[in-house]
Amino acid sequence: MTTSTLWTDDSDQQVTCIACGDTVDREDAREYDKHGDRWSREGKAFEYLCKPCHRECCHQNRDGLEETLVAAGAGRTDRKTFLERYCEFATEDTEPGTTES
């Protein structure tokens, strides 16, 4: 992962696309912030998408998506268990980690 700030000169930097794995010049990539807030930059490290992969991404609101993926065990459990958990969270009225009042 490469750290990026508003004031960094990225012109000769190479980054790796998290979607396809290609290494591209930083100027040919787009920042990806898994928390969905790429404008809050202090102390943050970004991942990158190459421009073609970025164009293919859904740019819809994803409030709570990362929390739901983590709570469902994304990358830490088998596919069947993950999908069952994700579907449970996606159909509940509360977000993962919260309790209904």
Side-chain angles (χ1 to χ4, degrees):
M1 229 183 302
T2 307
T3 303
S4 178
T5 64
L6 284 172
W7 315 113
T8 301
D9 179 15
D10 297 325
S11 60
D12 62 348
Q13 184 180 12
Q14 295 263 296
V15 296
T16 301
C17 175
I18 59 172
C20 68
D22 286 353
T23 299
V24 297
D25 291 336
R26 167 61 189 95
E27 64 188 26
D28 293 327
R30 296 288 180 250
E31 290 175 346
Y32 172 77
D33 176 15
K34 67 181 176 182
H35 300 290
D37 180 16
R38 70 186 195 106
W39 304 112
S40 175
R41 304 176 87 70
E42 192 168 328
K44 201 177 261 190
F46 292 92
E47 296 172 304
Y48 296 91
L49 292 165
C50 66
K51 288 180 182 179
C53 288
H54 182 261
R55 278 191 293 274
E56 291 180 14
C57 287
C58 173
H59 295 279
Q60 300 298 317
N61 184 350
R62 57 180 204 249
D63 286 344
L65 176 60
E66 292 295 330
E67 292 83 4
T68 302
L69 293 172
V70 169
R76 296 174 300 158
T77 189
D78 63 274
R79 181 180 173 95
K80 182 178 185 238
T81 303
F82 165 72
L83 291 173
E84 287 172 352
R85 290 178 184 169
Y86 182 83
C87 288
E88 286 175 26
F89 289 129
T91 57
E92 290 179 0
D93 290 337
T94 59
E95 291 184 25
T98 63
T99 56
E100 234 175 296
S101 8

